[in-house]
Amino acid sequence: MINTESSNITEIILSQRSFFQTGKTKDIAFRLEQLKTLKQAVTLNQQAITQALQADLNKPEFEAYATEISVLKEIDYAIKHLNTWTKPKKVPVSVEFFYYSARIYPEPLGVVLIIGAWNYPFNLSISPLVGAIAAGNCAIIKPSELAPHTSHLIADLITKYFDSAYIAVVEGGVEISQKLIAEKFDHIFFTGGTAIGKIIMGAAAQNLTPVTLELGGKSPCIVDNEINLQHTARRIVWGKFINAGQTCIAPDYLLVDQKIKKDLVNELQKCLKEFYSEQPFNSPDYARIISQKHFERLVNFLKNGEIIIGGETNLSELYIAPTLIDHVSVIDPIMQEEIFGPILPIIEYTDIAEAIALINSRPKPLALYLFSQNKKLQNSLLQETSSGGVCLNDTIVHCGISSLPFGGVGDSGIGSYHGKAGFDTFSHYKSVMQNSFLLDLKWRYAPYKGKLSLLKRFLG
Ligand code: NAD
């Protein structure tokens, strides 16, 4: 459904509000049915999804399955756990309230807005939707306009499989996004850059709308000398160059123990050739940059430091070769903003304390990677740094586990989702206390004379 008029947006919100008021979305059987419908929509349209991703990002089919169509796992997880998640939870009460019962009821928030980013354009719109449906909400999705084929496909699929009074898609760019965020929603779930995240939160504040902000930033990757070199190199190259480096949790830069740097650099080069051949331009397994604007931004980074391997570019194909860069300074532009492309700067350290100090002097990252078998080092990194998530001896994979909440901290985001965390994000936990008429102890009622000492004992 393509809507560009504010009046259309208002109409959709109104129709969703009245549908929500019917209470239908609160029914667990209804939610299960809708999750199954969503599963069917993805399952039956896998080819169209891979084609749209190919058109937008030249995304290899393997990557489309591994990182986008894999949203099917999220749907299955929600279907499997929905009954448990939605059950009211009895909680204990303190002894002075022995005749009460206390429960926590999860309830849906209402009508929610999901704004997606372009790098995993299918997953980043549909995965939050799983949480929104599971929690019993109506939803409007605004996919990224920078991945237009995927945006149109999402609009077509949602229109075909769902009533727009329940789930709708509004396509468009910044202007439409701004019209949407000016409206009153019960929650806004945003995936995108930190700067836009501030705009979203500012607009939401006008309506006291709560937000989840899934943002980005520079995710460091530390490589100690106690490693399996080959495994380390492969896992770094995979996590950095999948989707041509346009991944919010891609290792942004390497911090490498100088004792192992030469060997690691050699192994990384070997891996690049193994994965993408001597001519990555011709590799069917290597994606393209999303737009000319991002291409030009990335090309500017190639002026920093010294290129070890890669550096070739082709504007008409929006191609940038997988590139390793040495001798960058922490004050170079490439070390000042999120790279979000296939360029990997390598910085060496002599003492791990320097690496940790550098990380702690910067905004909290979305992901932090450490390659090391040294347990003490693993523990001290966990203790001494803060980040959205941590992955030890691998990259990226922590975001594919439904039982792990995924989200940032500080500048890398607010809130989380995936699995139960997604259900929680789109739920309000309502506290309910119940008394009975069996007893009515008078200790709390006026006149208070003679009752304070009893109260003090309770408190005491
Ligand atoms: P973006 O912030 O430019 O755009 C995201 C969405 O916001 C789009 O739908 C866009 O239409 C909308 N938008 C853009 N400008 C707006 C404005 N002024 N007002 C209202 N809405 C506006 O982000 P992007 O370029 O699509 O994605 C890249 C960024 O997203 C990177 O920083 C990356 O790290 C981050 N990201 C984070 C995650 C995560 O899960 N944490 C996942 C993917 C991407």
Side-chain angles (χ1 to χ4, degrees), residues 329-394:
S329 146
V330 292
I331 54 168
D332 283 340
I334 196 169
M335 285 303 292
Q336 295 303 309
E337 61 172 278
E338 181 181 8
I339 298 171
F340 216 55
I343 308 171
L344 182 62
I346 300 170
I347 296 175
E348 65 178 52
Y349 67 82
T350 42
D351 182 344
I352 186 69
E354 293 165 30
I356 293 181
L358 175 69
I359 292 166
N360 286 339
S361 69
R362 290 168 168 246
K364 293 178 182 177
L366 183 57
L368 179 55
Y369 300 109
L370 168 67
F371 285 86
S372 176
Q373 308 202 63
N374 181 330
K375 286 259 174 314
K376 217 171 124 214
L377 178 56
Q378 293 178 353
N379 286 334
S380 58
L381 188 86
L382 291 177
Q383 286 290 322
E384 291 169 34
T385 61
S386 176
S387 57
V390 171
C391 190
L392 301 171
N393 298 326
D394 213 329

Side-chain angles (χ1 to χ4, degrees), residues 199-438:
I199 296 173
I200 303 291
M201 194 165 174
Q206 303 310 309
N207 292 311
L208 276 185
T209 299
V211 291
T212 301
L213 302 177
E214 295 285 339
L215 310 177
K218 293 182 85 63
S219 296
C221 177
I222 301 178
V223 186
D224 176 43
N225 58 39
E226 291 185 46
I227 51 166
N228 175 313
L229 191 64
Q230 200 185 33
H231 294 180
T232 301
R234 274 198 211 129
R235 293 168 195 179
I236 291 173
V237 168
W238 174 73
K240 177 68 188 188
F241 298 103
I242 191 170
N243 206 30
Q246 301 164 109
T247 303
C248 56
I249 48 171
D252 188 273
Y253 59 97
L254 298 187
L255 290 166
V256 185
D257 186 326
Q258 51 99 15
K259 292 202 261 319
I260 201 151
K261 184 178 157 203
K262 195 163 163 264
D263 292 342
L264 181 74
V265 167
N266 285 338
E267 198 63 38
L268 289 170
Q269 293 185 73
K270 237 167 61 189
C271 265
L272 278 173
K273 290 175 190 160
E274 205 182 293
F275 285 16
Y276 305 114
S277 81
E278 294 278 350
Q279 285 172 322
F281 182 79
N282 296 325
S283 166
D285 300 326
Y286 188 64
R288 294 294 183 261
I289 306 305
I290 188 72
S291 68
Q292 184 168 342
K293 188 173 143 225
H294 280 280
F295 175 88
E296 283 162 4
R297 185 182 63 78
L298 288 163
V299 166
N300 271 326
F301 287 149
L302 295 172
K303 296 176 192 144
N304 298 163
E306 284 167 30
I307 292 173
I308 302 169
I309 185 172
E312 300 82 18
T313 64
N314 180 328
L315 172 61
S316 63
E317 289 281 327
L318 294 175
Y319 164 81
I320 297 181
T323 302
L324 303 180
I325 297 194
D326 203 355
H327 303 304
V328 298
S329 146
V330 292
I331 54 168
D332 283 340
I334 196 169
M335 285 303 292
Q336 295 303 309
E337 61 172 278
E338 181 181 8
I339 298 171
F340 216 55
I343 308 171
L344 182 62
I346 300 170
I347 296 175
E348 65 178 52
Y349 67 82
T350 42
D351 182 344
I352 186 69
E354 293 165 30
I356 293 181
L358 175 69
I359 292 166
N360 286 339
S361 69
R362 290 168 168 246
K364 293 178 182 177
L366 183 57
L368 179 55
Y369 300 109
L370 168 67
F371 285 86
S372 176
Q373 308 202 63
N374 181 330
K375 286 259 174 314
K376 217 171 124 214
L377 178 56
Q378 293 178 353
N379 286 334
S380 58
L381 188 86
L382 291 177
Q383 286 290 322
E384 291 169 34
T385 61
S386 176
S387 57
V390 171
C391 190
L392 301 171
N393 298 326
D394 213 329
T395 62
I396 312 270
V397 292
H398 61 295
C399 87
I401 307 295
S402 298
S403 48
L404 281 177
F406 178 75
V409 57
D411 282 15
S412 58
I414 295 175
S416 60
Y417 71 133
H418 290 183
K420 170 80 160 43
F423 176 84
D424 292 346
T425 285
F426 290 105
S427 295
H428 164 62
Y429 279 94
K430 185 159 72 181
S431 294
V432 178
M433 182 98 158
Q434 184 168 339
N435 199 349
S436 78
F437 293 113
L438 287 176

Side-chain angles (χ1 to χ4, degrees), residues 115-120 124 142-146 172-178 181 190-197 199-200 213-217 246-249 290 293-294 338 340 366 406-408 412-413 417:
I115 301 178
W118 51 261
N119 55 336
Y120 291 91
L124 296 175
K142 207 295 282 172
S144 173
E145 72 281 15
L146 293 187
V174 175
E175 208 185 309
I176 288 299
S177 192
Q178 285 174 341
I181 58 178
F190 169 79
T191 305
T194 302
I196 311 297
I199 296 173
I200 303 291
L213 302 177
E214 295 285 339
L215 310 177
Q246 301 164 109
T247 303
C248 56
I249 48 171
I290 188 72
K293 188 173 143 225
H294 280 280
E338 181 181 8
F340 216 55
L366 183 57
F406 178 75
S412 58
Y417 71 133

Side-chain angles (χ1 to χ4, degrees), residues 2-16:
I2 301 173
N3 288 285
T4 46
E5 297 297 323
S6 310
S7 55
N8 282 339
I9 291 173
T10 314
E11 268 168 37
I12 301 172
I13 296 173
L14 280 175
S15 70
Q16 293 206 348

Side-chain angles (χ1 to χ4, degrees), residues 109-171:
L109 297 171
V111 177
V112 303
L113 172 64
I114 295 167
I115 301 178
W118 51 261
N119 55 336
Y120 291 91
F122 190 76
N123 189 322
L124 296 175
S125 289
I126 302 302
S127 184
L129 180 65
V130 176
I133 293 177
N137 297 278
C138 295
I140 294 179
I141 304 170
K142 207 295 282 172
S144 173
E145 72 281 15
L146 293 187
H149 296 89
T150 314
S151 174
H152 300 336
L153 180 68
I154 293 171
D156 289 348
L157 293 183
I158 294 293
T159 310
K160 181 170 167 199
Y161 286 86
F162 297 96
D163 184 342
S164 67
Y166 172 48
I167 299 169
V169 174
V170 174
E171 288 193 276

